[in-house]
Amino acid sequence: MGRVKGVRQAVVPSGRRRARGSLSNPANRFDARVHESFDDGWEDEAEEDEAEEVEGVRIDTVILPDHSRSILVHNDSPDIPFSTSINPYRGCEHGCSYCFARPSHAYLGLSAGLDFETRILAKRDAPALLLEAWRKPSYRVQPIALGPNTDAYQPVERQLGITRALLALFAAHRHPVGLVTKSELVLRDRDLLSDLGRDGLAHVFVSLTTLDPTLARRMEPRAASPRGRLRTIRRLAEAGVPVGVLVAPMIPGLNDHELEAIVAAAAEAGATRAGTVLLRLPHDLKALFVEWLEASYPLRRDRVLGLLRDCRGGALSDARFGDRMRGQGPYADLLQRRATAAARRHGMTREPFAFDLSRFRPPDPAPRDPRQLPLFGRAR
């Protein structure tokens, strides 16, 4: 899909926004021209007061149609345990300040900042496109990750139900599916997930970044609270859904001291798997995260960025396979050893869940359009 037409990039003054993770809406990195605001000394007191009022206003979410012609996304990365995925939405209203998916909004002609969390593209045709993909003779069953890039259970899902419709197809055709979410809304679909889980066809990882509600509110303003995510793990486990915890991202000097406590709390709630990922800051996300860090935790800025550079070969980001998820160097290695020890201590494993690929039932061929003439002979 190309750039979104007819949608202007939001123009807002920099500063904290109510219930939003980004503090600004920087220009798209593909734009030839960049606009920066500055104080030229001509602004009067009335204009300053008006600017302060603008900074406190609510910025509404706009839902836009996504007319993608295919739904399955393939990757060959050795760093992640799946090669095929579906993202029902582009952009994410959770507004996590650290989200690695933010730069992907640039391909739509939008900003990785406030646009990413206020301009959400919804793939309403996703269920039909999934059936179309499964009907192809060349299709070979393999686990599909649902919502690994942007959360499949973000707030707009309550209204549109695209994820629910997709899960119903997975259940009807016994196709394996894995989910990662930080939303309690996944509990709405316990019936489908428990049905799939009993046959080794589904699992859910709940992303739990911190147990500190203040940090969570600043860092993930529209996601479920830490207590809500632990409740989600518990209720999924009680429903028979295989569930794990994804302690990610680990941000050196900010939330990494909570690693063992998060794993312990998740294990007590019923999680049987634990994974962790080091903070990633690709493309536009570097400046956005540093901006958020300076505004939210200015006294920790230098330590966080210094430790992160120690894990990234002196840079803030490293896109190389093998290093991008876990980092390198003594500090990164220590995080991995701590995660392994914490999981083992609570009877958990860091190995991925196994899937049963033998139960898949391909959908029936699509009914022929009566307006279409047959290739051979007469229509009957």
Side-chain angles (χ1 to χ4, degrees), residues 6 26 47 58 67 94 104 115 175 194 202 224 323 345 349:
E47 290 174 328
R58 180 185 183 90
H67 299 298
H94 283 159
S104 64
D115 278 350
H175 194 293
S194 60
D323 289 329
R345 186 178 307 122
T349 177

Side-chain angles (χ1 to χ4, degrees), residues 92-344:
C92 185
E93 199 175 358
H94 283 159
C96 302
S97 60
Y98 53 73
C99 183
F100 69 89
R102 282 183 176 275
S104 64
H105 240 42
Y107 297 113
L108 305 174
L110 299 171
S111 172
L114 286 166
D115 278 350
F116 177 80
E117 49 194 289
T118 61
R119 300 289 190 270
I120 310 299
L121 278 75
K123 302 179 182 179
R124 297 173 187 262
D125 297 332
L129 292 172
L130 181 58
L131 285 176
E132 181 182 318
W134 283 349
R135 287 190 176 110
K136 293 180 179 178
S138 60
Y139 182 77
R140 297 295 179 267
V141 61
Q142 55 192 316
I144 293 178
L146 186 55
N149 202 49
T150 52
D151 205 312
Y153 285 102
Q154 58 181 286
V156 67
E157 169 63 17
R158 294 184 184 276
Q159 170 190 346
L160 300 183
I162 299 174
T163 300
R164 171 78 185 186
L166 288 169
L167 274 182
L169 292 180
F170 280 101
H173 296 282
R174 314 314 290 169
H175 194 293
V177 59
L179 277 160
V180 177
T181 183
K182 50 172 63 80
S183 173
E184 289 189 86
L185 183 57
V186 68
L187 294 174
R188 179 200 63 187
D189 297 336
R190 277 177 294 178
D191 57 335
L192 296 172
L193 291 167
S194 60
D195 172 40
L196 287 162
R198 281 192 298 269
D199 287 340
L201 296 172
H203 71 251
V204 176
F205 270 92
V206 175
S207 174
L208 184 54
T209 313
T210 178
L211 299 176
D212 180 350
T214 300
L215 175 58
R217 187 166 53 251
R218 292 178 180 177
M219 194 163 56
E220 308 155 329
R222 296 199 177 200
S225 68
R227 181 180 298 179
R229 287 181 236 184
L230 289 172
R231 181 168 53 243
T232 298
I233 292 174
R234 179 172 291 106
R235 291 183 178 176
L236 287 173
E238 290 172 350
V241 181
V243 60
V245 62
L246 186 60
V247 191
M250 280 285 90
I251 305 174
L254 189 62
N255 69 341
D256 56 333
H257 65 284
E258 296 188 69
L259 175 57
E260 288 81 3
I262 294 172
V263 172
E268 192 277 332
T272 62
R273 300 289 195 281
T276 185
V277 178
L278 183 68
L279 175 67
R280 297 170 54 198
L281 296 176
H283 302 299
D284 320 51
L285 184 54
K286 294 187 191 70
L288 286 167
F289 180 78
V290 171
E291 180 182 51
W292 173 87
L293 188 61
E294 289 173 340
S296 302
Y297 295 95
L299 298 182
R300 300 192 193 184
R301 176 192 182 279
D302 291 343
R303 175 169 171 76
V304 170
L305 298 182
L307 288 172
L308 187 59
R309 287 190 174 94
D310 288 343
C311 298
R312 297 296 190 190
L316 289 180
S317 183
D318 185 350
R320 293 178 300 172
F321 288 158
D323 289 329
R324 61 181 185 147
M325 298 295 194
R326 55 175 293 153
Q328 56 181 298
Y331 202 90
D333 291 343
L334 178 60
L335 279 178
Q336 293 299 319
R337 291 197 298 271
R338 287 172 55 197
T340 299
R344 186 183 300 117

